[in-house]
Amino acid sequence: EQLGLESHFARLRLLDPDRYSDLESFISESQNYQDIAGIADRLVSNEPLTENCKKLIEQIFSEDVESTKSRISDIEKGVVGTREKLLDDLLDQHGIGRVMFRNTRMRMENFPIRKPVLEKLNPSRREGSAEMLEQEFSCMISKDSDQPEYNYDNDTRINHLASTLLKLDGQKLVLICSSKEKVEAIDQSLRKQISVKIALFHEELTMIQRDRNAAWFAEENGADLLICSEIGSEGRNFQFAHHLMLFDVPFDLELLEQRIGRLDRIGQTTDINVHIPYVEGSPQEVLVKWCSEGLDAFKHNLVGGNQYLAPFKDEIVKLALESKDHSKLDNLIENTKAYKKDLSEKLEKGRDHLLELNSFKADIASDLVGKISTSDKETRLDDFVLDLFDHYGLNVEGIDKQMYQVSLGDLRTDAFPALPAEGLMMTSSRAQALGREDISFLSWDHPIVIGAMDLLIGSEEGNSSFAIWDDPKKRSLILEIVFVLESLAPNHLHVDRFLPPTPIRIVVDSGLKNKTAEYKVSLLAEKLRPGRPATLFENPQVTNVLIPKMIDVGQGIAESAVSKVIQLAMKQMSTTLGNDIERLVALKKINDNVTAEEIETAQTHLVDLTKYIQGSRMRLDSLRLIWRGPDLDSVM
């Protein structure tokens, strides 16, 4: 969107050519959003509605004028919930918001603070150092692939880097520069000054070597310094580090934002120190001061990217390379400030507030975050998954609290789903996983966990078992039966929203009575111990008559329960899809973005889901026979 409305429309048309077919209509629609956004802002900030706002609301909801006037009256009276309901309806008619979501930094909270640390350094006394700095700058702005031979021995920037590492005393530092040649030259010169653990990251290393170096840098006792070429500013995340050094500042503001974004991202736990050393009188000084004083680009996220660079690019180059009088830089900085203020206002006016409001709803988000936090505190996941891995013969080594190294070990199956041959580091701690991208987040939805559970459920292990309940006062056979109700609907219907594979547990005793409520899972877990049914099965009356009768009775009980489950799923599906269809039909009257095809698809889904849910089948999944009484041998 920063590159203009036309190019933004072109990308939306790639996503949905039927919907975004006419640029003029899209532009007109976008302009109308600004008026609606004004109403939305008043609703959110609890300000009174102006007469113009009321008239616009009546125009928007012209299908039912009397009801709309009543809603406006309720808002003026302060009726609870009326503002929120009107806001939801406005957002619902915000056509583009149904397919696009955007959250901006201003709307979110808890981002780290960037702390620029600008260091003006004295020029090096080495012969030819000034010429080398100019050559560096020229090569960077022209993006010339032929890099000069860099030699940073006795370079003041290397001296500053060495002293910075000593001050940090083991804190990790990411250094990013423009090329692989610079990475190697910095590494060679720095090693001559101090002894420090250094990892390199550039494009001529193999993918495996880059991964290993990044992982070594991520380790607590690993490398203290990671020296990256520009490839390190794209895709790799180092939010566990809190210090970034820009050995040079790129002549591309979006690339600058990418560099800082390697540390300034979700998972960062503290403020970020952005170290920017530059040599006094060098071309880099012009660029550094222009970015810092003119744009404040080191401290704040720069919305608009290279739109700020285009008008001043030639002047910056001329000041940096041709003019030795940097006093003219003050005029450039003042002009840049004025231009930034004007462009920021234009971007802000063009920003679609409704889109942001539709992308983030605090009450829903708060509820979801609360559920996630509760889930994160549970230990069931670790206990179950570790037992599951042990069952299949995987090696699990505890590295730290909630952190494990998982490897193949003595695997009891042909292949273990999604586990690489070299093993995997996993953690069930969300904070640890956010801070280290080389560690997988262990959750119920992790492919390895899902695959392992499918492997277990799909096998015959556990389908039938026998247990003993020691009770000298009672003699009874108990059969615990688990059926699974499932629908065979095609994947695109997502029937699991309403009817996921549902276990139905039934318990029947030898008197053919339903004991499900009496014999709860927790009670059986407390009372049962492993046993062998051989003695019991010597009696053909048990195996040929009693157990089949108990299964038949259990199936009849389960079928009664199944009808209730299906009725509940049908009610939920009909309500959800029925409301969606009604909403689409109503929206189509006032919003051309809603197509007849969408309504037909929703109606077809309702019909198909009705057929598949009502046709769900129940299958016998597992049996557990329990002897409750004294020792079997003494009885038989």
Side-chain angles (χ1 to χ4, degrees), residues 126-155 157-158 175-190 192 202-203 227-230 247-249 259 283-284:
R126 194 184 65 187
E127 184 179 352
S129 60
E131 288 77 8
M132 189 185 74
L133 289 171
E134 290 185 9
Q135 191 177 13
E136 268 189 54
F137 188 81
S138 298
C139 185
M140 189 171 64
I141 63 174
S142 65
K143 297 183 180 179
D144 191 345
S145 58
D146 295 328
Q147 295 284 323
E149 292 186 8
Y150 296 111
N151 183 349
Y152 291 126
D153 293 349
N154 300 317
D155 190 292
R157 288 172 294 177
I158 298 297
L175 183 148
I176 302 180
C177 58
S178 60
S179 68
K180 180 264 298 183
E181 288 78 9
K182 281 189 179 182
V183 169
E184 293 173 339
I186 293 168
D187 177 47
Q188 291 172 9
S189 297
L190 183 63
K192 295 176 183 178
H202 57 74
E203 52 271 28
I227 308 177
C228 302
S229 67
E230 208 66 80
F247 193 80
D248 49 35
V249 174
R259 284 190 182 188
Q284 272 280 320

Side-chain angles (χ1 to χ4, degrees), residues 90-324:
L90 283 172
L91 296 176
D92 203 24
Q93 295 187 39
H94 179 41
I96 201 172
R98 292 182 58 217
V99 294
M100 189 171 84
F101 297 88
R102 174 182 62 206
N103 281 310
T104 63
R105 197 181 183 99
M106 290 185 294
R107 291 275 298 162
M108 308 299 286
E109 297 178 351
N110 300 322
F111 276 93
I113 296 172
R114 299 176 178 181
K115 294 182 176 179
V117 184
L118 273 68
E119 295 286 350
K120 183 166 68 173
L121 308 176
N122 293 324
S124 173
R125 297 179 181 178
R126 194 184 65 187
E127 184 179 352
S129 60
E131 288 77 8
M132 189 185 74
L133 289 171
E134 290 185 9
Q135 191 177 13
E136 268 189 54
F137 188 81
S138 298
C139 185
M140 189 171 64
I141 63 174
S142 65
K143 297 183 180 179
D144 191 345
S145 58
D146 295 328
Q147 295 284 323
E149 292 186 8
Y150 296 111
N151 183 349
Y152 291 126
D153 293 349
N154 300 317
D155 190 292
T156 54
R157 288 172 294 177
I158 298 297
N159 298 338
H160 175 71
L161 172 59
S163 63
T164 300
L165 287 167
L166 291 173
K167 290 176 184 176
L168 292 180
D169 191 24
Q171 295 183 63
K172 295 186 180 296
L173 173 69
V174 178
L175 183 148
I176 302 180
C177 58
S178 60
S179 68
K180 180 264 298 183
E181 288 78 9
K182 281 189 179 182
V183 169
E184 293 173 339
I186 293 168
D187 177 47
Q188 291 172 9
S189 297
L190 183 63
R191 290 182 187 277
K192 295 176 183 178
Q193 288 209 22
I194 60 172
S195 176
V196 62
K197 291 181 285 186
I198 304 173
L200 304 184
F201 195 96
H202 57 74
E203 52 271 28
E204 288 196 5
L205 296 174
T206 64
M207 182 70 76
I208 293 176
Q209 189 60 54
R210 290 204 297 266
D211 288 344
R212 286 175 177 169
N213 289 357
W216 183 43
F217 178 64
E219 292 174 7
E220 186 175 350
N221 297 316
D224 299 314
L225 172 65
L226 181 70
I227 308 177
C228 302
S229 67
E230 208 66 80
I231 194 175
S233 66
E234 299 176 357
R236 281 289 174 168
N237 302 326
F238 304 109
Q239 57 265 44
F240 53 85
H242 314 309
H243 293 270
L244 170 69
M245 179 172 288
L246 304 178
F247 193 80
D248 49 35
V249 174
F251 202 56
D252 182 326
L253 295 176
E254 291 179 358
L255 198 55
L256 172 63
E257 186 61 38
Q258 281 187 321
R259 284 190 182 188
I260 301 175
R262 296 312 94 208
L263 276 67
D264 184 9
R265 58 191 313 103
I266 293 173
Q268 179 61 256
T269 58
T270 187
D271 296 342
I272 301 162
N273 297 281
V274 184
H275 302 266
I276 309 111
Y278 63 93
V279 177
E280 184 179 11
S282 70
Q284 272 280 320
E285 181 183 22
V286 175
L287 188 55
V288 168
K289 286 188 174 181
W290 180 74
C291 288
S292 176
E293 299 174 25
L295 296 175
D296 201 17
F298 299 126
K299 188 173 184 180
H300 295 108
N301 175 261
L302 195 61
V303 178
N306 284 329
Q307 291 185 72
Y308 294 103
L309 178 62
F312 304 104
K313 184 175 182 179
D314 293 340
E315 190 175 353
I316 292 170
V317 172
K318 186 175 181 179
L319 272 176
L321 294 177
E322 298 177 15
S323 174
K324 301 300 181 183

Side-chain angles (χ1 to χ4, degrees), residues 565-625:
V565 175
I566 290 178
Q567 287 175 14
L568 184 62
M570 280 294 302
K571 182 179 179 181
Q572 184 183 358
M573 184 274 295
S574 299
T575 301
T576 301
L577 295 193
N579 289 341
D580 286 348
I581 292 169
E582 289 178 7
R583 169 181 167 272
L584 288 173
V585 171
L587 278 177
K588 183 167 176 55
K589 297 176 181 178
I590 54 177
N591 192 339
D592 292 336
N593 283 331
V594 179
T595 64
E597 184 182 2
E598 286 181 89
I599 298 173
E600 291 171 8
T601 300
Q603 291 170 335
T604 302
H605 281 186
L606 190 149
V607 173
D608 290 345
L609 281 169
T610 299
K611 179 180 70 174
Y612 283 110
I613 290 175
Q614 290 179 342
S616 299
R617 69 176 190 179
M618 184 180 73
R619 63 174 172 84
L620 178 61
D621 183 73
S622 58
L623 298 168
R624 177 161 64 174
L625 186 64

Side-chain angles (χ1 to χ4, degrees), residues 1-160:
E1 192 176 21
Q2 294 170 5
L3 300 178
L5 202 56
E6 290 187 16
S7 60
H8 180 48
F9 170 77
R11 278 180 284 277
L12 288 171
R13 186 169 56 186
L14 284 175
L15 295 174
D16 193 343
D18 294 329
R19 177 173 183 153
Y20 301 104
S21 58
D22 183 69
L23 177 60
E24 290 184 5
S25 298
F26 178 74
I27 293 173
S28 175
E29 188 179 273
S30 300
Q31 291 170 345
N32 293 335
Y33 290 158
Q34 294 185 14
D35 295 330
I36 302 173
I39 301 173
D41 287 340
R42 285 185 171 273
L43 291 172
V44 171
S45 59
N46 211 29
E47 295 179 18
L49 296 173
T50 65
E51 290 302 318
N52 286 336
C53 287
K54 295 175 187 177
K55 290 179 181 178
L56 187 56
I57 292 170
E58 291 176 8
Q59 290 175 12
I60 294 168
F61 301 103
S62 58
E63 292 291 317
D64 192 347
V65 177
E66 291 303 317
S67 175
T68 302
K69 287 182 177 179
S70 176
R71 296 173 71 179
I72 293 173
S73 176
D74 288 342
I75 288 173
E76 291 178 330
K77 293 175 184 177
V79 177
V80 176
T82 52
R83 283 180 175 269
E84 291 78 4
K85 182 64 172 64
L86 180 58
L87 179 62
D88 285 343
D89 289 342
L90 283 172
L91 296 176
D92 203 24
Q93 295 187 39
H94 179 41
I96 201 172
R98 292 182 58 217
V99 294
M100 189 171 84
F101 297 88
R102 174 182 62 206
N103 281 310
T104 63
R105 197 181 183 99
M106 290 185 294
R107 291 275 298 162
M108 308 299 286
E109 297 178 351
N110 300 322
F111 276 93
I113 296 172
R114 299 176 178 181
K115 294 182 176 179
V117 184
L118 273 68
E119 295 286 350
K120 183 166 68 173
L121 308 176
N122 293 324
S124 173
R125 297 179 181 178
R126 194 184 65 187
E127 184 179 352
S129 60
E131 288 77 8
M132 189 185 74
L133 289 171
E134 290 185 9
Q135 191 177 13
E136 268 189 54
F137 188 81
S138 298
C139 185
M140 189 171 64
I141 63 174
S142 65
K143 297 183 180 179
D144 191 345
S145 58
D146 295 328
Q147 295 284 323
E149 292 186 8
Y150 296 111
N151 183 349
Y152 291 126
D153 293 349
N154 300 317
D155 190 292
T156 54
R157 288 172 294 177
I158 298 297
N159 298 338
H160 175 71

Side-chain angles (χ1 to χ4, degrees), residues 341-398:
K341 181 180 178 182
D342 181 60
L343 181 57
S344 296
E345 289 175 356
K346 288 180 180 178
L347 287 172
E348 188 58 33
K349 285 180 182 178
R351 184 178 302 285
D352 198 335
H353 293 289
L354 285 175
L355 183 57
E356 294 180 3
L357 290 170
N358 196 42
S359 299
F360 175 70
K361 297 181 180 180
D363 53 343
I364 297 175
S366 177
D367 179 59
L368 184 59
V369 168
K371 290 178 179 177
I372 292 173
S373 298
T374 300
S375 176
D376 285 349
K377 293 174 184 176
E378 293 181 348
T379 60
R380 292 184 305 158
L381 173 66
D382 294 66
D383 296 339
F384 173 77
V385 171
L386 294 181
D387 285 346
L388 186 61
F389 287 173
D390 182 65
H391 174 75
Y392 282 110
L394 297 183
N395 282 339
V396 180
E397 180 184 355

